[in-house]
């Protein structure tokens, strides 16, 4: 098996651009390198409704497939409350705001006392 001709950072950049283009809110990126073998980065963002959460997720998966040939694993799209998109190097969580507040993934993954790394506005 050959190594991909793109980096985790390039996938992260594409993920951030995609969710921003689709008007996701409160976009946070978390560097997992050296802390987890699951992925290099995690991105957490919110959509205003179940429909927007599903749309953000679907478009992201399609853009990653078109750009990098990555076939993402996706869970939760049916309900649209919380969708997990696994692109291997970058894991993306798209929430409705109430569900995001309930689970508080940022608190679980960010070191104590660390502010969330907000994605820069393009």
């Amino acid at each position: 098996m050959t190594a991909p001709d793109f980096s985790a950072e390039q996938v992260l950049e594409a993920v951030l651009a995609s969710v921003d283009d689709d008007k996701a809110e409160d976009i946070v990126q978390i560097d997992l390198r050296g802390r987890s073998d699951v992925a290099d980065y995690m991105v957490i963002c919110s959509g205003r409704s179940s429909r927007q959460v599903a749309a953000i997720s679907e478009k992201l998966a399609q853009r990653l497939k078109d750009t990098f040939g990555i076939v993402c694993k996706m869970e939760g799209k049916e309900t649209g409350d919380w969708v997990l998109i696994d692109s291997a190097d970058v894991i993306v969580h798209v929430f409705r705001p109430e569900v995001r507040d309930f689970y508080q993934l940022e608190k679980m993954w960010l070191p104590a006392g660390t502010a969330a790394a907000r994605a820069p506005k393009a």
Side-chain angles (χ1 to χ4, degrees), residues 32-75:
L32 299 177
R33 294 172 298 177
R35 296 178 49 210
S36 173
D37 293 335
V38 173
D40 290 338
Y41 298 98
M42 180 183 298
V43 174
I44 303 171
C45 62
S46 299
R48 290 181 298 281
S49 66
S50 295
R51 178 174 280 176
Q52 186 187 21
V53 166
I56 290 167
S57 305
E58 288 171 8
K59 287 183 181 179
L60 173 60
Q62 189 61 52
R63 287 172 178 147
L64 292 177
K65 183 177 181 183
D66 293 345
T67 304
F68 300 107
I70 297 171
V71 178
C72 298
K73 296 177 188 120
M74 194 178 314
E75 294 183 29

Side-chain angles (χ1 to χ4, degrees), residues 1-5:
M1 193 161 150
T2 61
D5 57 352

Side-chain angles (χ1 to χ4, degrees), residues 90-106:
V90 181
I91 300 211
V92 183
H93 298 274
V94 185
F95 288 99
R96 279 190 314 103
E98 308 80 34
V99 178
R100 183 175 179 175
D101 287 343
F102 180 79
Y103 286 102
Q104 298 185 6
L105 282 187
E106 291 99 325

